[in-house]
Amino acid sequence: MQFPESWLREFCNPPLDTQALADLLTMSGMEVEELRPAAPAFSGVVVAEIVEAEPHPNADRLRVCRVEAGAHSKDGPLQIVCGAPNARAGIKVPLALVGAQLPSGDDGQPLNIKLGKLRGVESQGMLCSARELGLADDHSGLLELTADATPGADVRDLLRLDDTVFTLKLTPNLAHALSVQGIAREVSALTGAPLVAPLIEPVPPRHDQRLPVRIEARDLCGRFSGRIIRHIDPKARTPAWMVERLARCGQRSVNALVDISNYVMFEYGRPTHIFDLDKIHDELVVRWARRGETLELLNGNTVELDEEVGVIADAQAVESLAGIMGGQATAVSDGTRHVYVEAAFWWPDAVAGRSRRYNFATDAGHRFERGVDPARTVEHIEHITRLILEICGGEPGPMDDQPVAMPQPEPVTLRVDRAAKVIGMPLPQAQCADVLRRLGLELREEPGRLIVTPPSWRFDIRIEEDLIEEVIRVIGYDRLPPAPPLAAVTAQALPEARRSAHAVRRSLAALGYQETINFSFVEQRWETELAGNSDPIRVLNPIAAPLAVMRSSLVGSLIQVLRHNLARKATRVRVFELGRVARRDAQVTDTHATVAGIHQPMKLAALAYGAADALQWGSRERAVDFYDLKGDLESLLAPRALTFEPAQHPALHPGRSARVRCDGREIGVIGELHPRWRQAYELPHAPVLFEVDLDAVLARDVPAFEPIARHQSAWRDVALVVPEAATHDALVQALRADPGGWVRSATLFDVFRPSGAVTDMAAGERSMAVRLELLDPAANWTDERIDDVVKAAVNRAGRAVGARLRG
């Protein structure tokens, strides 16, 4: 919400300076995001009337003007050389006198006006454009002032430039503050300064013509008011004071009718619409749209409608999006002679989110979806009517008002002791009642209780906590007593068997990865292609059309991060993300932390692309591969042992991916991106990546101490012939499964596949050489015991994977 301070002070003028007023608004919950002057500083600029404008004797594009500037030209008109194309006799323009200081010159420094000569002709000042005064970007000609401006008057006073523009950052519950009057009402309550409520008198009708209006959807429109005004002048100029106020509210001037409608919206928070009456066919119908209907909007977009969008239609077609934007077909233009002025109450739920479906937003929709006062539609049409008659002329007709489904506010009870407990300071009932009355709330007092009926403009007061908030923000948050917390503040230490997520982040950073943070809602394509999820959880109101579903995997987010970096010429990318995913799970129940039917676990994913090592001289450059990432994952979870099993995953290469298991439980996947997706996502090379459960990464083994063995280990190398189908993990697991625990380790150190016929190996077999470490802490090893243990290990391997001693 943006507005000039001078406009606010016309409604309520508290004895506070600008900064104090801004601080007061911020502390009351209406954050002042910016304060800026309405115009930059300049001095010595006055009103001047051009009495003569003759061609320059030595320049075709210059004119020699003689101007009257009141007391500043008491010795006769001043001579000014000017190059503006609109410099002509009879107009009044800003004149920077000799000695004046303008906002800035070409070098960014203030521009001092001096007596000078242009092509041999003396110039006693400078006639100014809006750009030269820092008021606008227009420098096509001189800034023409109103005809009633007094020559010699200070331009700053004439244009009221010593003003400050406030920009407020309002939360959605402050719909009543989306107007100058609404903010003034708040300031009056906060300071006790009187609120000026201008009296809006009804305009007597001059004809009896009415436009038939039917309201078919009471759940869309609760009240519809309007009147016809005939014989207006659509080409009338908007008054300068209105243009100025609209500009300071951030709204450009369009034409007189549109400007009047916008002006009343900023003044009273009431969006309205003005139709060209001659373009309406027979009647207006307020209803829900029908599927397949279309509407060309005022912004030039043509939108397709359905049953969830409210519209105003005539006998032939849809003419307006209810509460959002009018249609081009009935828009006013320079040829408009008769208009229909409409003001309605649209139910907030019927407007909320509709404009976002079409990827635009309007001031009207912003207000209606939060709630606009339904009680003052007629009053505001009367105000618009009077402004139209003053500016455009015309003949007003009778008022048509249909209050078909007005909201009925429910009383809300405030318990005084409850308010004192929540706020944290003692509050007498009289003080609470005084605050609520100052806010314009009707109430009934009972011992210890205040029963409040919210006014028509307050859609945010529904529960007791809403009233408690009103009480403390008016009293002032700075009045809260500083009190230490009563509860003991103790650090919650993690158990020794669990590390923190920050420790995981630091470990990955030490491995050369950088953290990324991405949206939890992603493109549906990512879910289908990279997660194999054909039924993702949809977002009801996505912030952008592509981001329409919740992610069930972090893979898509990391692929997008990789593409973003490659587009910026990165050649080596190492990224990771700790994030939550969302998956359907019927066993999840609704609690304070979860949603029924949706499981939201935390995941850890990492991606590596490009060279295995950063640029260096010690070894030849090679591309990162599966084993590099496997080593990083093992390092991250060390000393816990991981096992890797061949697996299929929608995002990964079918022959270069694996299932990751820890303590016998599957915790994730690792592998190279599938060639199909490498090509589809336009990647020069395939990255390698993993995704695992974060809980598995956070868990860690508590160190267990054991005495140092009094006896030395014994080592034996065995060469085992195994089928090609036998896996390394199965072989090692069988060798180590010694009942006495004497086989401490089994390490593969050689694999042999014969290229031709070998007497001790058949086709489809290979030789795997394994070194066994044997340790008995209680006794020395003898050759006989070692042979027995090795023989037992080989027998276990034979039963498990079909292994036998070679040769």
Side-chain angles (χ1 to χ4, degrees):
M1 176 64 189
Q2 181 178 310
F3 61 91
E5 180 183 1
S6 59
W7 199 0
L8 173 65
R9 289 188 182 272
E10 288 185 8
F11 283 94
C12 182
N13 190 13
L16 301 173
D17 61 22
T18 300
Q19 188 59 53
L21 178 60
D23 294 341
L24 176 71
L25 290 173
T26 297
M27 290 304 297
S28 69
M30 295 180 289
E31 180 186 353
V32 178
E33 192 172 31
E34 182 186 18
L35 286 177
R36 61 176 176 83
F42 61 81
S43 61
V45 181
V46 300
V47 177
E49 181 178 4
I50 301 178
V51 295
E52 292 180 13
E54 301 294 337
H56 193 289
N58 302 319
D60 295 337
R61 296 186 179 182
L62 298 179
R63 286 182 174 84
V64 180
C65 301
R66 298 178 65 79
V67 302
E68 290 286 352
H72 303 284
S73 58
K74 58 185 178 181
D75 295 332
L78 300 176
Q79 179 174 282
I80 310 292
V81 178
C82 177
N86 64 333
R88 64 188 185 279
I91 65 171
K92 294 178 180 178
V93 296
L95 167 64
L97 300 166
V98 173
Q101 191 173 71
L102 299 186
S104 64
D106 295 335
D107 58 356
Q109 298 298 317
L111 179 64
N112 296 308
I113 303 302
K114 302 176 182 178
L115 185 67
K117 287 186 177 183
L118 289 175
R119 294 290 185 94
V121 177
E122 184 177 73
S123 182
Q124 297 172 309
M126 174 180 170
L127 301 181
C128 301
S129 67
R131 181 176 180 179
E132 288 159 342
L133 297 179
L135 305 181
D137 292 332
D138 181 22
H139 61 100
S140 59
L142 300 176
L143 174 62
E144 297 188 30
L145 305 175
T146 57
D148 58 354
T150 303
D154 193 319
V155 166
R156 295 196 73 91
D157 296 335
L158 175 70
L159 300 180
R160 294 186 291 183
L161 299 181
D162 293 321
D163 199 356
T164 302
V165 175
F166 281 61
T167 301
L168 304 189
K169 186 177 182 180
L170 300 177
T171 52
N173 65 311
L174 296 176
H176 59 282
L178 286 170
S179 67
V180 177
Q181 187 201 39
I183 298 167
R185 188 190 294 121
E186 293 291 307
V187 172
S188 176
L190 294 167
T191 63
L195 177 66
V196 177
L199 182 63
I200 301 176
E201 295 284 354
V203 176
R206 295 176 57 185
H207 62 84
D208 60 359
Q209 184 180 357
R210 295 175 183 265
L211 177 67
V213 176
R214 283 189 295 117
I215 302 176
E216 294 184 352
R218 297 191 174 196
D219 55 343
L220 167 65
C221 178
R223 184 176 189 176
F224 194 96
S225 308
R227 80 161 10 129
I228 291 172
I229 304 177
R230 302 187 309 193
H231 304 302
I232 64 153
D233 176 12
K235 298 181 181 180
R237 291 188 61 181
T238 306
W241 60 267
M242 184 178 288
V243 173
E244 164 219 306
R245 283 188 170 173
L246 289 173
R248 293 179 190 177
C249 290
Q251 178 67 52
R252 66 178 180 86
S253 175
V254 179
N255 59 49
L257 291 172
V258 175
D259 291 348
I260 290 170
S261 178
N262 287 333
Y263 180 83
V264 173
M265 179 183 68
F266 288 116
E267 187 175 27
Y268 291 112
R270 165 74 58 193
T272 57
H273 189 64
I274 301 178
F275 294 88
D276 187 323
L277 181 65
D278 295 329
K279 298 176 182 177
I280 298 176
H281 300 91
D282 301 335
E283 65 175 352
L284 289 181
V285 182
V286 179
R287 60 175 173 82
W288 294 104
R290 303 183 181 104
R291 185 170 296 277
E293 289 183 315
T294 59
L295 172 64
E296 183 182 359
L297 298 169
L298 291 173
N299 62 7
N301 294 345
T302 298
V303 296
E304 185 172 344
L305 310 175
D306 58 30
E307 299 86 347
E308 296 184 356
V309 180
V311 298
I312 302 175
D314 62 14
Q316 295 186 5
V318 174
E319 303 297 353
S320 175
L321 274 185
I324 298 173
M325 183 180 287
Q328 191 65 47
T330 54
V332 295
S333 64
D334 288 348
T336 298
R337 295 296 299 147
H338 315 298
V339 297
Y340 183 76
V341 182
E342 165 266 314
F345 166 68
W346 307 103
W347 288 100
D349 289 344
V351 178
R354 269 56 173 191
S355 61
R356 287 191 290 276
R357 294 176 59 179
Y358 303 113
N359 298 320
F360 67 85
T362 64
D363 286 330
H366 182 77
R367 286 164 171 78
F368 278 123
E369 68 183 8
R370 287 160 172 76
V372 175
D373 187 358
R376 303 184 67 190
T377 57
V378 171
E379 185 178 352
H380 292 156
I381 288 182
E382 297 287 4
H383 185 42
I384 290 177
T385 301
R386 190 170 297 279
L387 290 172
I388 291 176
L389 297 181
E390 291 175 359
I391 298 170
C392 304
E395 300 173 357
M399 182 70 67
D400 181 21
D401 181 34
Q402 300 184 50
V404 295
M406 298 287 282
Q408 302 299 320
E410 294 290 335
V412 181
T413 299
L414 172 67
R415 294 167 291 173
V416 177
D417 57 347
R418 166 71 174 164
K421 181 178 180 181
V422 172
I423 292 173
M425 61 184 287
L427 290 172
Q429 181 167 328
Q431 186 178 17
C432 293
D434 175 64
V435 166
L436 298 177
R437 287 193 178 98
R438 284 158 56 185
L439 288 168
L441 309 184
E442 295 183 7
L443 59 90
R444 185 178 78 254
E445 292 195 54
E446 295 180 359
R449 288 155 43 100
L450 301 174
I451 295 88
V452 177
T453 301
S456 58
W457 64 84
R458 294 299 297 266
F459 287 77
D460 60 314
I461 298 178
R462 299 185 179 182
I463 60 176
E464 184 178 24
E465 283 72 16
D466 295 329
L467 294 175
I468 294 173
E469 179 185 4
E470 295 299 299
V471 169
I472 184 54
R473 74 183 188 85
V474 172
I475 291 175
Y477 293 106
D478 55 338
R479 298 274 301 277
L480 289 172
L486 299 178
V489 179
T490 57
Q492 296 292 327
L494 287 174
E496 193 175 359
R498 187 176 177 86
R499 56 179 167 175
S500 70
H502 288 293
V504 174
R505 291 184 173 96
R506 288 191 292 269
S507 296
L508 282 166
L511 291 170
Y513 292 82
Q514 294 182 330
E515 184 177 13
T516 66
I517 300 175
N518 300 288
F519 283 130
S520 294
F521 22 87
V522 298
E523 296 183 29
Q524 185 169 352
R525 173 192 177 191
W526 300 358
E527 282 296 291
T528 304
E529 296 177 348
L530 302 176
N533 185 4
S534 60
D535 185 25
I537 300 168
R538 296 194 167 276
V539 180
L540 293 179
N541 291 308
I543 62 172
L547 306 180
V549 300
M550 300 297 293
R551 64 181 179 181
S552 63
S553 169
L554 304 182
V555 172
S557 299
L558 293 185
I559 296 295
Q560 182 61 24
V561 170
L562 173 61
R563 297 181 66 201
H564 179 86
N565 281 269
L566 293 179
R568 285 150 182 81
K569 307 302 180 183
T571 58
R572 184 175 185 270
V573 179
R574 297 286 188 282
V575 291
F576 75 93
E577 180 177 6
L578 275 73
R580 197 173 295 280
V581 299
R583 298 171 177 168
R584 299 188 188 278
D585 188 342
Q587 297 182 356
V588 177
T589 57
D590 195 356
T591 69
H592 72 282
T594 62
V595 179
I598 299 178
H599 183 43
Q600 301 181 69
M602 290 290 290
K603 292 285 186 177
L604 168 66
L607 177 147
Y609 175 91
D613 300 308
L615 186 65
Q616 44 81 44
W617 59 270
S619 61
R620 181 178 299 176
E621 181 176 306
R622 63 175 180 83
V624 67
D625 59 21
F626 175 93
Y627 297 100
D628 293 310
L629 198 68
K630 174 177 176 287
D632 289 341
L633 183 57
E634 289 176 323
S635 174
L636 181 64
L637 274 78
R640 302 171 70 197
L642 302 179
T643 57
F644 300 85
E645 302 173 353
Q648 301 290 322
H649 188 276
L652 302 180
H653 193 298
R656 301 176 184 174
S657 58
R659 183 183 303 112
V660 184
R661 303 183 70 89
C662 182
D663 298 332
R665 182 173 68 90
E666 182 180 341
I667 65 170
V669 293
I670 183 172
E672 182 180 299
L673 186 67
H674 197 293
R676 179 193 306 166
W677 309 137
R678 182 197 66 76
Q679 184 175 9
Y681 289 91
E682 300 177 342
L683 302 176
H685 307 287
V688 287
L689 49 91
F690 69 74
E691 182 178 33
V692 295
D693 296 333
L694 181 61
D695 284 341
V697 180
L698 297 181
R700 60 181 177 183
D701 295 333
V702 178
F705 298 94
E706 59 183 34
I708 298 175
R710 299 174 60 185
H711 304 281
Q712 294 183 353
S713 297
W715 287 270
R716 290 292 185 271
D717 294 343
V718 292
L720 302 174
V721 178
V722 298
E724 280 287 353
T727 65
H728 165 269
D729 287 346
L731 175 62
V732 170
Q733 186 176 0
L735 292 172
R736 294 195 59 187
D738 183 72
W742 292 330
V743 180
R744 287 300 182 95
S745 67
T747 305
L748 176 71
F749 64 88
D750 185 44
V751 177
F752 172 70
R753 290 184 176 87
S755 57
V758 179
T759 57
D760 58 350
M761 295 177 63
E765 292 184 330
R766 57 180 171 170
S767 172
M768 301 180 72
V770 181
R771 176 165 295 173
L772 302 178
E773 179 187 4
L774 312 178
L775 177 63
D776 182 356
N780 288 323
W781 285 106
T782 63
D783 290 338
E784 292 79 6
R785 288 186 62 207
I786 292 174
D787 292 342
D788 291 342
V789 172
V790 172
K791 182 178 180 180
V794 172
N795 291 337
R796 288 193 302 273
R799 293 191 297 270
V801 298
R804 69 178 188 275
L805 280 173
R806 184 180 176 189

